[in-house]
Amino acid sequence: MSEEEGHPRRWAILVALCAALLVIVIDNTVLHVAVPAVGDAFDASTDQLQAVIDAYVVVFAGLLITAGVLSDRYGRRRVLVVGLLVFGAASALAAAAPSVWWLIAARALMGVGAALVMPATLAVLVAVFPERERPRAFAVWSAVASVGMAAGPLLGGALVDAWSWAGVFLINVPVVAVALFGVVRLVPETRAAGGPGLDPYGTVLVTAGMTGLVWALIEAPAHGYTAPAVVAGAAVAVVALVGFGVRQRRSATPMVDLRLYRDRRFSGAGFAVAVMTIATGSTLFVLSQYLQLVLGYSAFETGLAAVPLAVGVVAGSAVGGRAPAGFGARACIVAGFTVTAAGFAVLASLSESSGSAAVSIGLGLAGLGSGIAGPSATSTVLGAVPPERAGMGSALNDTHQQLGIALGVAGLGGLLATVYRGGLPDGLPEDAMSSLGATLSHARDRADGGALAEAARSAFTDAQSVTMSVGVAAALTGAAVALLALPGRTTRAVAPEPESEDVRRPGSQWDAE
């Protein structure tokens, strides 16, 4: 079987990889609705509960680049299996946590497993699918990732109601077992021969830099941009990432080939996706407060409201997987981002009297646009990366997205808070202005509580409109970047060092080991 035809079991391999991807993506959002139950179980403070959520995200994002290099060097299937084992074991430890600090540590360990899994899934897809079929494979991958993100709150709410907070972790164990079975049975081993080894100093620098950067971005909205922890995280990020960049430029075999950013396909599509995820990354965070505290939805109903987003992504991915062959990747990215901008425009128009239909239309359009653009963006980024460095390229692609999400939560979350505080009546205590929930709690103890609650909901809705309008601008900026930076047609990347080739068993193209 030639490389132009791909692996004979490539679609079955895709199913196994999507099972592995689904469980780690769901864990990004599944815990959000279980936070109150975790707080009650451990009598945890707000900072401790935030650490439970952040530990996973920070470690996950911080280790992506290192994990991608590991997969290229030591084998993508091997790293994928190790990642799933770590993730499954850490999930079981989290469910059995006797204290909140145990839970925080287990969540960090889950982040390690997730970081090992995610780049490897994309790298394997590059190896087993021929170039002409990759957009369709990436469409399925993107749809599963988006559905997992949207389904997390819904699944979490159902598990907490039916069982307890531990259910959001225990559910991972059987899913990981199924994914492991499929990966071990179906996925072939591929890796880069003669590629760069794992530079210990470079590994420490890039991991410390990415961890510090994501930590600072996540903590800034809650504690302020001048808080000691935020400043320290940002300082570590700057020093470590600059040091990493200098080290890579001087290395004959760098962990990360920074020359990729000179390629318009890689830098243009990567930047466009990062800008886009700045908007999409904070959408559910903002809307969940609107749905629960303004419209009065329950946690489960809030999760259910995210279903149109997932439906839109699936529908868009069906188009986005096939359209590049006829229209080109650039046209698909521009069209998709424009549709997403229309979705954010609908969400920006929401008022206190808006019903669920307007929310569904806005989220459906946002998801539809993401589904149309996602496969082309991923194909463009990875098409600029030599196939033997697919793990590194996949890790950079994932890092662009994670940084966009973190920037969105920090920047748009901060904007939401600033505009909201500015719309509140004068004379409120500082702690009553920190969030809509805090203001509504304060209103219950006042004689004029009804009027204050109405004013707070109005101020939040106005702040949400401003935030979603920025989302419109971000989506249109992504479309403009793609239009100006990307070529109409893309060509396959070639390796800078021809002697570096994927390692496979002699006499057989595909090594299932």
Side-chain angles (χ1 to χ4, degrees):
M1 189 70 66
S2 67
E3 288 192 11
E4 286 71 22
E5 295 174 326
H7 194 284
R9 295 186 296 181
R10 57 192 177 278
W11 295 106
I13 292 170
L14 176 61
V15 172
L17 295 174
C18 285
L21 174 69
L22 182 65
V23 69
I24 65 169
V25 171
I26 284 179
D27 230 78
N28 271 308
T29 57
V30 72
L31 189 60
H32 285 67
V33 295
V35 165
V38 172
D40 292 341
F42 296 117
D43 193 24
S45 67
T46 300
D47 286 345
Q48 288 173 330
L49 292 176
Q50 190 65 45
V52 171
I53 295 174
D54 292 350
Y56 179 79
V57 178
V58 170
V59 174
F60 181 15
L63 287 175
L64 276 171
I65 293 176
T66 299
V69 175
L70 280 172
S71 70
D72 284 339
R73 179 67 175 179
Y74 299 106
R76 288 122 192 187
R77 184 181 72 169
R78 182 174 289 111
V79 169
L80 184 55
V81 168
V82 171
L84 285 170
L85 289 172
V86 171
F87 189 90
S91 297
L93 289 172
S99 70
V100 69
W101 293 111
W102 177 297
L103 183 58
I104 291 169
R107 286 278 291 171
L109 188 58
M110 290 170 68
V112 174
L116 293 172
V117 169
M118 196 165 190
T121 60
L122 271 179
V124 171
L125 290 185
V126 172
V128 302
F129 277 90
E131 189 171 2
R132 69 180 185 279
E133 289 184 348
R134 284 177 197 161
R136 294 172 59 190
F138 292 148
V140 175
W141 187 93
S142 299
V144 168
S146 298
V147 168
M149 290 285 287
L154 180 63
L155 178 62
L159 288 170
V160 171
D161 289 345
W163 195 353
S164 75
W165 64 267
V168 301
F169 299 112
L170 282 178
I171 194 66
N172 292 339
V173 177
V175 179
V176 166
V178 171
L180 268 172
F181 176 81
V183 168
V184 172
R185 185 173 179 83
L186 296 171
V187 175
E189 184 64 282
T190 59
R191 58 185 175 271
L198 195 65
D199 173 10
Y201 296 106
T203 300
V204 170
L205 287 172
V206 71
T207 302
M210 292 303 304
T211 300
L213 178 58
V214 175
W215 168 265
L217 290 172
I218 289 176
E219 292 297 306
H223 301 288
Y225 291 89
T226 58
V230 175
V231 173
V236 168
V238 170
V239 173
L241 291 178
V242 169
F244 177 74
V246 171
R247 187 172 181 84
Q248 297 309 291
R249 289 180 63 86
R250 292 177 177 176
S251 174
T253 55
M255 287 175 57
V256 175
D257 189 353
L258 298 178
R259 292 174 298 174
L260 283 171
Y261 288 95
R262 300 175 185 171
D263 190 314
R264 287 195 307 160
R265 294 170 297 161
F266 186 88
S267 58
F271 182 76
V273 169
V275 171
M276 181 67 180
T277 53
I278 287 175
T280 57
S282 60
T283 303
L284 293 179
F285 169 74
V286 175
L287 282 179
S288 65
Q289 298 177 74
Y290 169 78
L291 292 170
Q292 293 186 62
L293 300 179
V294 176
L295 299 187
Y297 283 29
S298 67
F300 181 76
E301 288 171 333
T302 299
L304 199 61
V307 169
L309 177 66
V311 173
V313 170
V314 172
S317 296
V319 176
R322 299 178 181 274
F327 300 98
R330 182 177 65 180
C332 292
I333 296 172
V334 172
F337 284 9
T338 303
V339 172
T340 297
F344 279 113
V346 173
L347 296 177
S349 70
L350 295 176
S351 67
E352 297 167 73
S353 59
S354 297
S356 59
V359 177
S360 297
I361 292 171
L363 286 176
L365 285 172
L368 180 67
S370 295
I372 293 171
S376 293
T378 302
S379 297
T380 301
V381 169
L382 294 183
V385 180
E388 68 274 7
R389 300 301 309 277
M392 180 268 294
S394 301
L396 289 174
N397 179 68
D398 296 337
T399 300
H400 297 157
Q401 296 184 47
Q402 291 296 321
L403 286 178
I405 291 172
L407 280 168
V409 172
L412 296 187
L415 176 64
L416 178 76
T418 300
V419 177
Y420 171 67
R421 290 165 67 96
L424 290 173
D426 295 332
L428 290 178
E430 188 68 23
D431 59 351
M433 301 172 67
S434 61
S435 67
L436 176 57
T439 309
L440 294 177
S441 178
H442 176 74
R444 297 188 192 103
D445 301 326
R446 291 175 50 138
D448 62 343
L452 176 58
E454 183 178 349
R457 291 188 177 99
S458 177
F460 183 86
T461 304
D462 291 342
Q464 176 179 262
S465 295
V466 172
T467 304
M468 293 300 174
S469 296
V470 174
V472 174
L476 292 177
T477 298
V481 169
L483 181 64
L484 297 175
L486 300 183
R489 287 289 187 271
T490 59
T491 56
R492 185 175 181 178
V494 294
E497 293 96 16
E499 69 274 14
S500 177
E501 299 176 354
D502 277 3
V503 172
R504 301 186 179 102
R505 179 183 305 161
S508 174
Q509 182 188 0
W510 305 107
D511 178 7
E513 285 184 5

